[in-house]
Amino acid sequence: MDARYFKRFEHRMPAAPATFSRRRQVVWQFLASVTIGLGIWYLHWRWTATLNPDAPVFSLLVVTAETGMFIGTLLFFHDIWRQDDTPRRPPPRTRADAGLDGDGPILVDIFITTYDEDAAIVEPSIIDALAVR
């Protein structure tokens, strides 16, 4: 493959993220709360009224799996409950500014992983890695 293939994509930038909307967040939190409430109601019903005494091992495995999935849903909702971005701060200039030991500039290693790639394909990555400051 020719390196010129990648040149036509160099100018592309990612799309801007969706703008923050308080209304969208409130609707999202309401729907998440309804989901949590229905999930608690469902699991209460599953654990108290639907366990099969003729197949207790299978029945417990299924209801335990459903409970685990609900816990995963709770963790997911907790993780994305608010849409706040981390505030931008200027990058640290020295190792001390970054809270690192020692003095002087911060050094960064960049690994470009390849396997049987032509040099023309890897070249844009190397050029961009050398331009990092």
Side-chain angles (χ1 to χ4, degrees), residues 47-124:
W47 278 100
T48 59
T50 65
L51 295 180
N52 185 354
D54 296 332
V57 173
F58 178 74
S59 185
L60 281 173
L61 283 173
V62 172
V63 76
T64 302
E66 289 177 339
T67 303
M69 289 301 297
F70 180 71
I71 292 170
T73 301
L74 291 176
L75 293 172
F76 172 72
F77 287 157
H78 172 73
D79 189 40
I80 62 172
W81 187 253
R82 299 199 48 182
Q83 295 180 354
D84 295 337
D85 282 336
T86 305
R88 286 188 152 234
R89 298 184 314 205
R93 296 266 181 217
T94 64
R95 295 178 60 80
D97 292 343
L100 302 171
D101 292 335
D103 226 2
I106 299 172
L107 302 177
V108 177
D109 292 330
I110 298 177
F111 294 97
I112 302 170
T113 57
T114 63
Y115 180 78
D116 276 347
E117 301 288 349
D118 292 335
I121 292 176
V122 181
E123 182 183 9

